[in-house]
Amino acid sequence: MAGNTYRALLTRPVLSWAAVAVAARLPVAMAPLALVFLVRERPGGYVLGAELAAVYVVGEVIGAALLGARLRPDRARRHLAGGLGTGAAAFAGLGLLPGAPDLLLGAFALLAGAAPAASPGGLRALLTEHVEAGLVAKALSAEATLNYAVWAAAPAAASALAFGLAPYAPLLLAAAMMALSVAGLWALPGGWAADASDRNGVSMLRTLAAAWPVYVSGAAAMSLLALAELVLPALLEQRALAVGWAGPLLAGYSLAAAAGALLYGLRSWPGRIGTQSLVLLLGVTGCVAAAALLPALGAIAAALAVAGLLQAGVQVTRALGLRAVLPQSALAAGYSMMYSVVGAGYAASASLSGAVLSVATPAAAILAGVLLTLLLTAASAVGELRLARGRSRTPARPPSRTVAGRQGPAPAEEQRTTP
């Protein structure tokens, strides 16, 4: 980490949280590629692998939406342990029974995706509710950096294990890592203080639905980048460039995103959180459009790197935006809902990319995604403006927050990005 303020996060509780988060998220990041490697030597193995990966993502989307809404702050550790433990068992089933019938493998993949899907939201809530209020933005930035590092390392780890040991080895590692994350939960707080009365009698579903503009903007950014990522090999071929450059270009994007997350947390930035997110999202959109139009490899690499740099800021501002919109008792569920919506957006982009490429050039496909992103961004901006006006007209009692293990009113700093 960088700077004195980031060093303030280097405490035993936060480092314990980071270890648990890595153990819980590395299996998730490895899973799609590991499922492809598991069955690739079967007849039609690549098709089956893609189908298993799609089933896994569907499980994530469903599990995050359903289980995240049921996560109780006072029993968070028990709920997270149950989900992660079940996920570990499902990964073990995939690794120990690689020759099982397709239907059984699909059931294991669905369970491996769904059962632990509430853990990203729950772990984020554990992190942000047990650091000092002034460190929340930096904690979220550090979390984003950790995520990008895990996602950058996961494909290499899955490939090395599958080709160096056995096709099922990545899934056995995933099972072991997720089981370790269950044990590590007991080094973390059992939950966080929350009072359902802070929703003023509104149901959890309606409370979560009120934050739809935040979900839409997050999903728009991820869907656009997913489309660009999936179409990148075809785009390079269209530009008469070596398709093998796709890997290094995406690695550069991930490294830039990790750096961008750290950069966002280094200082305070002008403007409201929603305004920052809008500006960053428009910047990402412009960079992806430039990558689709520019012919030179260096220009494409630069556009994707800047897109990654800005995308990290979008991720952090969306998490901060949820904290500004949702009451304390709904935060973990809100994080899970964001995870679900973003996953759905990525899955839709994966399905859409093949269909679009059949009727348009790769560059045109990316530009169509850019246009759709701009429409979603406009809808999100209008929605967030209405939310802000509604909050300004309806003063509410500040919800109870847990800060460093103490209960008290939410500090005003949580509505800004000042670390």
Side-chain angles (χ1 to χ4, degrees), residues 217-240:
S217 58
M222 184 57 68
S223 299
L224 173 62
L225 285 171
L227 183 63
E229 174 183 307
L230 295 168
V231 177
L232 181 59
L235 178 67
L236 293 174
E237 187 173 331
Q238 180 190 0
R239 296 282 187 264

Side-chain angles (χ1 to χ4, degrees), residues 107-133:
F108 278 137
L110 183 69
L111 188 60
S119 63
L123 286 173
R124 177 178 290 171
L126 281 176
L127 173 66
T128 57
E129 299 308 317
H130 292 283
V131 299
E132 296 290 345

Side-chain angles (χ1 to χ4, degrees), residues 41 70 82 97 105 113 161 175 200 222 224 254 307 361 387 395:
E41 295 180 357
R70 296 175 178 272
L97 301 171
L105 292 179
L161 288 170
N200 298 319
M222 184 57 68
L224 173 62
S254 295
T361 65
L387 280 178

Side-chain angles (χ1 to χ4, degrees), residues 130-141:
H130 292 283
V131 299
E132 296 290 345
L135 290 174
V136 167
K138 283 183 170 54
L140 289 171
S141 295

Side-chain angles (χ1 to χ4, degrees), residues 12-121:
R12 179 175 295 179
V14 174
L15 293 176
S16 297
W17 177 92
V20 173
V22 169
R25 294 176 184 179
L26 184 61
V28 175
M30 288 197 306
L33 192 57
L35 289 169
V36 173
F37 288 151
L38 180 69
V39 297
R40 71 183 184 88
E41 295 180 357
R42 291 188 183 188
Y46 283 109
V47 174
L48 175 59
E51 291 173 348
L52 290 176
V55 168
Y56 176 84
V57 173
V58 169
E60 283 192 296
V61 171
I62 295 173
L66 296 182
L67 300 179
R70 296 175 178 272
L71 188 62
R72 292 182 55 178
D74 58 333
R75 298 181 180 178
R77 182 161 56 196
R78 182 184 304 177
H79 289 186
L80 294 177
L84 290 168
T86 304
F91 276 117
L94 288 164
L96 294 173
L97 301 171
D102 297 354
L103 189 61
L104 181 58
L105 292 179
F108 278 137
L110 183 69
L111 188 60
S119 63

Side-chain angles (χ1 to χ4, degrees), residues 230-294:
L230 295 168
V231 177
L232 181 59
L235 178 67
L236 293 174
E237 187 173 331
Q238 180 190 0
R239 296 282 187 264
L241 300 170
V243 177
W245 280 108
L249 289 175
L250 293 175
Y253 161 80
S254 295
L255 292 174
L262 283 177
L263 178 63
Y264 183 87
L266 279 175
R267 49 157 292 177
S268 60
W269 299 90
R272 296 178 60 85
I273 293 171
T275 304
Q276 292 178 18
S277 181
L278 175 62
V279 171
L280 290 167
L281 185 50
L282 290 175
V284 173
T285 305
C287 289
V288 173
L293 296 173
L294 295 173

